[in-house]
Amino acid sequence: MIVEDETTLQKTLAEFLAEDGFEVLCASDGEQAVALAKKGKPDLVLLDIILPKKDGYEVLTELKSEADTKNIPVILLTNLESPEDIDKAFEKGASTYLVKSNYKLEDIAKKVKETLKM
Amino acid sequence: MKIVNDLNFRKQAKELGISMWKTPSFLFLLMGIITIVAMASVYYVSNFYESPEVLVIAESVVVITIFSIGNSIILEVERIARLNKMKSEFVSVASHQLRTPLSAIRWETELLLTKFGKGLSEKQKSGIETINLLAIRMTRLVSDLLDVARIDQGRLILKKSCFDLEKIVQETVHSLIVVAKGKNTNIIFKNSGTPVIVVGDAEKLRLAIENLISNAIKYTDGKGKVEVSVRKKNGFVIFSSKDNGVGIPDEQQSQVFNKFFRSDNAVKYQTEGTGLGLYIAKNIIEQSGGNIWFQSKEGIGSIFSFSLPLCSPVKARHFTAKAGSKHKA
């Protein structure tokens, strides 16, 4: 599942992963993300931090506190890169932290596969 | 008169972008003159008039004048400081906002090339590749500007850990081989085979190393040779990158680490460059507890070196404990 409010980025990432054989769900804000994760039970969540309605940290906290969703690995995919943000993300249970502008789609797909041990 | 020359209001006004009579040094001088004149006149008044009322009034006038000039100096300095802060914040916000559209361009072109490239002619593909490469270059420039803004605001925070410097140097050299080949330049790095564990922010230092080696490649021309080495010395590790490139003119060597500085011969030789790489590298290395220096001779080449503290067993334990708790979470 991709949680990204910027539609162009969401669409490109979704298309790339779909081409790699993934079934992709998309959410554009924090509330939608939590609801969709509970309903769709994705194998993995790619989560932005700056999001409307609920930010990425809130989404992460909610996903990790619910029994059905707490085992879903979450990769944060954001343009924030301060050490505090990174520490906060890992404290809240993120599996990996990626800075968008440093990664190619191919590298992101690779990280997704690594996390899912594919 | 020398003091007045030293103060040079016109130059200061030009540098600060304000009118001459508003420059702090002019106002300060004015305050000084008024204080002296006021003292003299109070003395004069007290000699001629016995009445304390006149003295009190004269002194009040003096105090109020000095106070208001002092106040306007403080206001002006405050205004300049605030403008400077706004400038740094503007650079931060603008750079940050540029990243999303830049990521979109990079990802979109990558998607086109890797997944939907069927049916595209070689010419079309190479055009898209160029867009992709330029977007990567611009992303890099934006990151550099963000780093500079952070350094200026004192907000460049390093995430220190113990890591193998030799591995990072090896990876960086490897990633630059294609660029070097394009410039007919050889990079030589003798790997000792044993890890060289240092303390610092691995990702930021990777950036600094990349800046130094890519500078070495950029400023050599045909049959260039870049020798990279890593060695231990007195509790420190010393990294060096030696090239046979254009070098830096003697009279400009003191400015090498200044922000936006590019030497005259470098600009002539290679127009592409921002003059930010070495400024950022110096700040990253010094904040990591190291030093950076260079030797250079115009027309012969340059050696850029930096030192970093070796990782002691105590620090190593400290960092692994921290990293361990993170993975458990």
Side-chain angles (χ1 to χ4, degrees):
Chain A
M1 180 169 96
I2 299 167
V3 189
E4 169 65 67
D5 57 326
E6 196 67 43
T7 44
T8 37
L9 291 181
Q10 190 197 79
K11 189 183 125 257
T12 324
L13 187 55
E15 278 180 28
F16 191 95
L17 291 174
E19 283 295 311
D20 264 5
F22 288 99
E23 199 183 311
V24 186
L25 297 173
C26 291
S28 307
D29 66 58
E31 277 176 14
Q32 206 187 349
V34 175
L36 196 61
K38 281 180 189 160
K39 213 176 92 193
K41 303 262 163 51
D43 298 317
L44 182 141
V45 177
L46 281 167
L47 178 63
D48 194 5
I49 293 181
I50 304 173
L51 288 168
K53 292 183 189 168
K54 272 179 191 165
D55 71 20
Y57 296 125
E58 287 173 79
V59 174
L60 184 57
T61 313
E62 277 191 45
L63 292 182
K64 291 292 166 189
S65 63
E66 299 264 336
D68 331 349
T69 51
K70 73 170 185 213
N71 292 323
I72 304 175
V74 178
I75 296 180
L76 285 200
L77 186 59
T78 168
N79 266 333
L80 300 178
E81 55 177 345
S82 73
E84 298 99 74
D85 282 309
I86 299 173
D87 283 343
K88 197 167 157 191
F90 281 115
E91 260 163 42
K92 291 187 183 291
S95 307
T96 312
Y97 191 103
L98 306 177
V99 177
K100 265 184 233 169
S101 57
N102 296 348
Y103 284 86
K104 295 199 285 185
L105 290 170
E106 198 192 325
D107 300 330
I108 297 168
K110 213 188 272 170
K111 290 278 178 192
V112 168
K113 285 172 197 163
E114 265 171 33
T115 312
L116 291 171
K117 298 193 177 68
M118 282 169 73
Chain B
M1 272 337 267
K2 193 180 171 294
I3 297 169
V4 180
N5 281 337
D6 280 349
L7 290 170
N8 203 346
F9 311 129
R10 194 166 296 169
K11 193 174 155 219
Q12 197 177 33
K14 213 170 159 188
E15 276 172 7
L16 298 176
I18 51 178
S19 50
M20 212 164 76
W21 56 272
K22 269 185 163 179
T23 55
S25 53
F26 176 76
L27 290 171
F28 197 72
L29 189 78
L30 188 68
M31 192 164 88
I33 292 169
I34 289 181
T35 313
I36 294 164
V37 171
M39 293 282 204
S41 49
V42 167
Y43 176 73
Y44 178 80
V45 168
S46 63
N47 264 350
F48 283 84
Y49 301 95
E50 290 291 312
S51 120
E53 287 88 353
V54 178
L55 260 182
V56 168
I57 292 170
E59 271 188 24
S60 308
V61 169
V62 170
V63 168
I64 290 168
T65 319
I66 292 175
F67 186 81
S68 51
I69 294 178
N71 192 42
S72 64
I73 295 179
I74 291 167
L75 282 180
E76 199 52 42
V77 170
E78 225 181 75
R79 197 181 70 92
I80 292 166
R82 211 177 299 125
L83 277 179
N84 192 37
K85 190 168 164 257
M86 266 167 68
K87 181 213 73 187
S88 289
E89 278 169 359
F90 169 76
V91 173
S92 280
V93 172
S95 317
H96 212 269
Q97 292 305 318
L98 278 169
R99 286 178 142 193
T100 303
L102 277 171
S103 292
I105 297 172
R106 287 175 47 196
W107 287 3
E108 201 78 55
T109 44
E110 189 192 339
L111 179 69
L112 209 50
L113 285 169
T114 55
K115 303 291 177 190
F116 304 125
K118 241 190 211 164
L120 287 176
S121 71
E122 280 310 307
K123 217 171 177 178
Q124 286 167 325
K125 267 191 192 164
S126 103
I128 298 167
E129 261 162 33
T130 309
I131 298 174
N132 184 266
L133 285 176
L134 289 175
I136 291 174
R137 208 165 100 191
M138 215 155 131
T139 310
R140 180 63 192 272
L141 180 61
V142 165
S143 306
D144 282 357
L145 280 172
L146 263 173
D147 279 339
V148 168
R150 285 193 194 112
I151 291 167
D152 289 351
Q153 295 168 352
R155 285 197 300 116
L156 183 79
I157 303 159
L158 299 184
K159 206 172 164 55
K160 286 190 185 175
S161 64
C162 284
F163 66 92
D164 181 4
L165 182 74
E166 206 169 73
K167 186 168 162 249
I168 287 199
V169 173
Q170 178 79 61
E171 286 168 3
T172 312
V173 167
H174 192 79
S175 71
L176 289 169
I177 281 178
V178 183
V179 188
K181 272 208 180 120
K183 291 220 61 182
N184 208 358
T185 294
N186 247 332
I187 316 183
I188 303 160
F189 174 54
K190 285 192 202 91
N191 197 330
S192 73
T194 46
V196 180
I197 311 294
V198 296
V199 191
D201 182 320
E203 282 318 302
K204 293 282 177 209
L205 283 161
R206 184 194 292 274
L207 189 81
I209 292 165
E210 206 181 293
N211 282 343
L212 294 180
I213 303 179
S214 61
N215 268 355
I217 298 170
K218 206 194 277 181
Y219 298 112
T220 54
D221 190 17
K223 291 195 202 111
K225 199 168 127 192
V226 178
E227 284 175 76
V228 180
S229 68
V230 172
R231 64 197 158 89
K232 290 183 195 174
K233 197 183 172 189
N234 307 334
F236 281 86
V237 170
I238 297 176
F239 164 96
S240 282
S241 155
K242 180 180 172 192
D243 66 62
N244 59 348
V246 294
I248 304 153
D250 278 348
E251 65 277 12
Q252 294 190 320
Q253 293 197 354
S254 60
Q255 290 163 270
V256 163
F257 293 111
N258 288 357
K259 190 167 43 173
F260 297 116
F261 172 77
R262 299 192 67 216
S263 72
D264 291 342
N265 61 337
V267 178
K268 239 182 267 164
Y269 181 74
Q270 176 63 262
T271 44
E272 189 200 317
T274 54
L276 294 175
L278 287 176
Y279 176 75
I280 295 172
K282 182 180 159 71
N283 277 282
I284 291 172
I285 287 158
E286 287 182 352
Q287 257 194 61
S288 304
N291 262 314
I292 184 166
W293 67 93
F294 71 97
Q295 289 161 284
S296 185
K297 199 126 201 99
E298 193 175 1
I300 292 178
S302 310
I303 309 174
F304 275 85
S305 311
F306 68 77
S307 61
L308 278 177
L310 274 166
C311 180
S312 63
V314 181
K315 279 180 188 152
R317 265 202 300 279
H318 169 71
F319 290 127
T320 28
K322 252 175 106 180
S325 68
K326 219 175 266 170
H327 287 304
K328 243 186 280 158

